[in-house]
Amino acid sequence: MGKKRVCVVVLGDIGRSPRMQYHAQSLIRQGFDVDIVGYTDSPVLDDLKENATIIGVRKPFPFDKYVPQKIAFLFKVVWQTLTLFWAILMKRKSDIVIVQNPPAIPTFAVCWFYCLIVHAKFIIDWHNYAYSVLGLTLGSDAPLVKLSLWYERTFGRLADFNLCVTKAMKDDLHKKWNIEATTLYDRPGPQFKTITLTEKHNLLEKMNLNNFTELSETGMVRLKSNRPSLLVSSTSWTPDEDFSILLKALQKYDESDDIYPKLICVITGRGPLKCHYQHIISKLKWKKVSIITPWLENSDYPLLLACADLGVCLHASSSGLDLPMKVIDMYGVGLPVCAYDFKCLNELVRHNENGLVFSNENQLALHIMTWFKNFPSEICEKQSRFCKEIDKFRVVDWHTNWMKNAYPIFLNCNK
């Protein structure tokens, strides 16, 4: 019998879907043939270019520019249904299909129908609930949101196997919809790791941040004693992250005493609200705080995180049941994180143990000021306390965790 063929479906940008790429990497490592279907806006991980078949889906026409919202949504669904079904039907036959959720519409129905006609196993990886994400913009009582909930529940029950990102989501799926899922916690990819001072120096110079490091008389790289502090946050600039909280907190920091250093805040990523916030940022006239919003190459993003002194995560979770991948990445490089608090965040971030949590701009401002008080002389003690706990998290990498929790499911698909 030949290799089993797995189709990884992301009705989104494959390059910005790290968990599904990690699935693909682990499947390949265990001897599966892997096809990845989705949008190809961003580069995928290098080894997937060589070892997986990437099948692009044509993005929807911008119907909302020409017709009312509800009609545009209908046209978009029809477009995605036809293009996605064509993409997975025309490739080589798959034995297993694993689908990222969200989005659920039309992915669930299309992939379930494909699995039905080719006798493949259907797996859903629940990252969040699609109906709760839709509710952020339309409101939870909107008819379209209620339709999405019914659709997601109905087709979700048709999956042969289910994975999810938290214990809270596993319990919720069972309680609400009688869906049995296996919790597979996210872990950082191998590119997220600690780096040398020389690597930090090279990246910061590449970004024109030249006041952090210097070369000694012997040519060795060292951190400047009077360097500014470096705060980093990453985002998709979507409604589930309220960046006004960070801006208000930084405003308070800028107005604080001179015992706090100058601060550079780097916010990475791209998305629908980026221009909105860039316009707000361009009007700020601060003395101690500077904000930059670069778009980094895939290879530079882990390096930036490893250069930072503190990370900030504003992910609020539409369902309260998922965990922010950006915190996973930050922990991968050993970076302490200040994260917005929600229902199941303590499955990842534990306040004053391996990170800090906040619920408003006042708490965030206090955390940032406390962290950088008498910087850089006092930050090492604070960092080392958190980093001991973060190192415990880093011991278990993605593939080890995947082998324990996900691989048995793919083996069962062969029976």
Side-chain angles (χ1 to χ4, degrees):
M1 181 179 289
K3 291 183 179 180
K4 287 289 183 178
R5 294 183 291 272
V6 181
C7 180
V8 178
V9 177
V10 181
L11 201 58
D13 185 4
I14 299 169
R16 296 169 69 189
S17 304
R19 181 177 169 99
M20 301 309 284
Q21 291 188 84
Y22 298 162
H23 272 301
Q25 285 181 316
S26 290
L27 287 163
I28 292 167
R29 190 168 169 180
Q30 294 310 121
F32 292 87
D33 281 331
V34 175
D35 299 321
I36 310 177
V37 176
Y39 301 141
T40 54
D41 300 338
S42 306
V44 301
L45 297 173
D46 288 341
D47 61 331
L48 296 183
K49 295 176 185 176
E50 300 174 3
N51 298 306
T53 302
I54 310 297
I55 301 165
V57 177
R58 190 171 179 181
K59 297 194 74 172
F61 183 79
F63 298 107
D64 55 343
K65 291 184 179 180
Y66 306 99
V67 297
Q69 184 183 45
K70 292 181 180 178
I71 297 175
F73 178 81
L74 178 62
F75 284 175
K76 179 182 177 182
V77 169
V78 172
W79 177 291
Q80 290 179 317
T81 299
L82 296 175
T83 54
L84 176 60
F85 188 65
W86 180 260
I88 63 175
L89 190 63
M90 289 299 102
K91 63 169 182 54
R92 56 188 174 180
K93 177 183 174 294
S94 297
D95 301 296
I96 305 166
V97 176
I98 178 169
V99 178
Q100 170 185 288
N101 182 57
I105 300 174
T107 321
F108 279 12
V110 171
C111 292
W112 169 78
F113 183 65
Y114 172 83
C115 290
L116 184 67
I117 63 177
V118 302
H119 304 290
K121 296 295 184 180
F122 180 36
I123 302 175
I124 298 175
D125 190 10
W126 299 81
H127 299 193
N128 201 348
Y129 291 138
Y131 78 87
S132 69
V133 175
L134 191 60
L136 289 175
T137 52
L138 300 182
S140 59
D141 292 329
L144 200 55
V145 174
K146 292 180 179 179
L147 175 64
S148 177
L149 189 155
W150 172 85
Y151 170 96
E152 197 168 4
R153 178 184 63 222
T154 300
F155 282 95
R157 289 171 171 173
L158 297 176
D160 295 293
F161 300 97
N162 295 271
L163 294 165
C164 63
V165 293
T166 63
K167 183 180 182 297
M169 179 166 280
K170 170 187 171 71
D171 294 342
D172 195 68
L173 282 166
H174 175 73
K175 181 180 179 180
K176 287 199 313 187
W177 297 343
N178 198 30
I179 292 174
E180 299 297 333
T182 298
T183 300
L184 175 67
Y185 284 117
D186 280 313
R187 286 293 187 271
Q191 69 273 34
F192 293 95
K193 57 188 177 182
T194 57
I195 62 175
T196 65
L197 274 176
T198 299
E199 289 173 305
K200 291 183 180 182
H201 175 76
N202 293 339
L203 177 74
L204 293 169
E205 287 216 326
K206 180 179 177 180
M207 296 180 64
N208 293 318
L209 298 175
N210 302 314
N211 47 353
F212 286 86
T213 59
E214 61 185 357
L215 296 176
S216 67
E217 294 178 356
T218 60
M220 299 292 290
V221 176
R222 62 189 180 195
L223 294 171
K224 291 183 178 181
S225 58
N226 62 342
R227 67 186 176 95
S229 55
L230 183 59
L231 188 75
V232 66
S233 185
S234 60
T235 178
S236 298
W237 298 106
T238 49
D240 63 348
E241 293 181 306
D242 183 1
F243 264 80
S244 66
I245 294 175
L246 177 58
L247 298 183
K248 290 174 183 177
L250 292 177
Q251 173 77 46
K252 294 178 183 296
Y253 183 94
D254 192 71
E255 296 168 351
S256 63
D257 297 334
D258 291 337
I259 59 173
Y260 303 106
K262 288 186 176 181
L263 183 150
I264 296 178
C265 176
V266 182
I267 306 174
T268 72
R270 61 185 179 190
L273 294 179
K274 184 171 184 176
C275 289
H276 166 75
Y277 280 108
Q278 282 181 319
H279 179 69
I280 294 174
I281 291 168
S282 67
K283 294 185 175 182
L284 298 174
K285 305 296 180 183
W286 287 342
K287 298 177 182 178
K288 289 197 297 188
V289 177
S290 301
I291 300 177
I292 59 174
T293 56
W295 170 249
L296 298 175
E297 298 174 10
N298 280 354
S299 58
D300 285 341
Y301 174 62
L303 300 178
L304 172 66
L305 295 185
C307 291
D309 300 299
L310 181 66
V312 171
C313 172
L314 287 150
H315 177 80
S317 178
S318 61
S319 66
L321 299 171
D322 67 319
L323 292 172
M325 192 70 188
K326 54 182 69 66
V327 172
I328 308 288
D329 297 339
M330 291 173 181
Y331 280 176
V333 303
L335 176 65
V337 177
C338 199
Y340 186 84
D341 196 14
F342 57 89
K343 185 164 58 176
C344 73
L345 183 69
N346 62 359
E347 291 190 40
L348 177 63
V349 182
R350 300 182 303 280
H351 186 60
N352 272 333
E353 289 185 37
N354 64 355
L356 299 165
V357 301
F358 63 92
S359 300
N360 54 56
E361 63 266 20
N362 293 327
Q363 292 177 358
L364 177 57
L366 178 62
H367 289 330
I368 295 174
M369 286 189 283
T370 302
W371 190 259
F372 290 120
K373 184 178 180 180
N374 297 321
F375 177 88
S377 59
E378 292 186 10
I379 197 171
C380 291
E381 180 182 347
K382 302 169 188 174
Q383 279 185 328
S384 61
R385 178 162 53 91
F386 284 2
C387 285
K388 286 180 182 178
E389 293 299 316
I390 293 171
D391 285 344
K392 294 177 184 178
F393 172 85
R394 297 170 62 211
V395 167
V396 180
D397 62 12
W398 165 268
H399 188 70
T400 302
N401 192 45
W402 185 90
M403 285 294 295
K404 179 180 178 181
N405 295 289
Y407 185 50
I409 290 175
F410 288 95
L411 286 182
N412 284 335
C413 288
N414 291 336
K415 295 177 181 179

